[in-house]
Amino acid sequence: MRILIAEDNTAFAQVLQGQLRKSAIASDHVQTVKEAEQAIASLPYSAVILDLGLPDGDGLDLVRRLRQAGNALPILIISARHGLDDRVLGLRVGADDYLAKPFSVDELIARLHAITRRPGTMVGEVLHAGNVSLDTESRQVNIGSHRFVGRLREALILEVLMRHEGHVVRRGFLFDQLYGFDAKADANTVDVHIHRLRRQLSDMGATVVIHTIRGVGFMLVGSGSGAEQVASRIDKQ
Ligand code: CA
């Protein structure tokens, strides 16, 4: 999963990002309410970790605005405000959980998993395409009855492509999912990962194919699906 951290204490946010990475949780960091709103509008995050005291406003206002706009994105408030009133107010305006600073990272991760596991959200499900299955929470991938052991980024790519099976996923979208929108990584790294992923899938006898849609992106199709014929026509163009 990929989450957004809205926190004006940069050093704290960076430590947090490092800890989350160890648990295979990718994250982007923003420092203001305005940046958080822009980020939420541009990427499909699994959750937001939100500090309340931000330089340009109160995190609670952001929660209120998102909920009023019908956005159900899971939100975990982290705050140095310890009062029960703050906690109640945070939950009342629509946050999913509230954690007082200081907290342990293990606790934070447990809460994150809990709020993203709610029914209706996209995480914690098992995706299927051809003979490939992928558990979106543990990121365990099985091909037939064999366990696929790949790199984290390749499992992420596979997840995104499987979520959009039979549809073209833009290269830029994949890049954002892997590195975040402010990353300085080379755009070609997406192709390197795709290349490696394809080889691993075919070595293990996966019955899915990742097609390159020239100049646009990639499309995963399972064999036997209607999308397969469409994709092979596109490949020949
Ligand atoms: Ca703050």
Side-chain angles (χ1 to χ4, degrees):
M1 73 173 141
R2 177 163 214 101
I3 62 155
L4 181 71
I5 301 171
E7 162 66 72
D8 58 331
N9 182 336
T10 303
F12 173 72
Q14 283 171 354
V15 170
L16 195 55
Q17 285 190 289
Q19 297 286 330
L20 292 173
R21 208 174 296 129
K22 286 182 195 158
S23 297
I25 299 173
S27 62
D28 292 317
H29 170 223
V30 292
Q31 301 187 47
T32 65
V33 171
K34 189 162 182 278
E35 288 169 351
E37 282 184 314
Q38 288 168 345
I40 290 165
S42 31
L43 278 182
Y45 290 103
S46 301
V48 179
I49 294 179
L50 178 66
D51 179 33
L52 290 187
L54 294 170
D56 62 338
D58 192 310
L60 288 179
D61 293 330
L62 174 63
V63 181
R64 243 181 236 118
R65 277 201 295 277
L66 285 171
R67 297 306 186 235
Q68 276 163 7
N71 190 328
L73 179 63
I75 298 173
L76 172 62
I77 291 174
I78 51 169
S79 176
R81 302 179 196 167
H82 286 270
L84 185 63
D85 288 351
D86 291 311
R87 183 187 166 83
V88 170
L89 184 59
L91 299 177
R92 191 171 292 156
V93 299
D96 296 85
D97 205 350
Y98 187 108
L99 201 52
K101 293 178 187 173
F103 50 80
S104 82
V105 174
D106 288 345
E107 176 70 21
L108 177 78
I109 290 171
R111 304 278 188 105
L112 267 181
H113 282 304
I115 64 170
T116 54
R117 210 180 278 133
R118 295 173 314 172
T121 59
M122 294 288 281
V123 299
E125 61 184 329
V126 179
L127 306 172
H128 299 275
N131 63 348
V132 180
S133 66
L134 184 151
D135 184 317
T136 59
E137 195 168 331
S138 65
R139 285 252 157 65
Q140 182 170 325
V141 180
N142 285 317
I143 297 173
S145 56
H146 296 284
R147 174 125 183 224
F148 166 93
V149 184
R151 300 181 195 209
L152 179 61
R153 288 200 205 285
E154 277 132 42
L156 273 168
I157 288 181
L158 188 61
E159 179 182 331
V160 175
L161 292 176
M162 285 177 73
R163 283 192 191 284
H164 298 88
E165 186 191 356
H167 298 277
V168 179
V169 177
R170 305 184 79 85
R171 182 182 268 99
F173 180 77
L174 271 179
F175 184 84
D176 287 343
Q177 292 288 306
L178 291 180
Y179 300 103
F181 47 84
D182 59 352
K184 291 168 188 68
D186 184 341
N188 289 326
T189 57
V190 171
D191 299 77
V192 174
H193 288 300
I194 290 271
H195 177 77
R196 201 180 288 141
L197 182 58
R198 268 189 190 127
R199 208 180 46 216
Q200 291 166 319
L201 289 173
S202 101
D203 285 353
M204 289 191 66
T207 59
V208 298
V209 178
I210 300 170
H211 297 275
T212 300
I213 314 301
R214 209 177 290 275
V216 185
F218 305 94
M219 175 161 79
L220 178 142
V221 296
S223 57
S225 68
E228 194 182 17
Q229 288 104 45
V230 177
S232 66
R233 280 204 300 276
I234 293 171
D235 276 353
K236 290 188 189 99
Q237 280 169 11

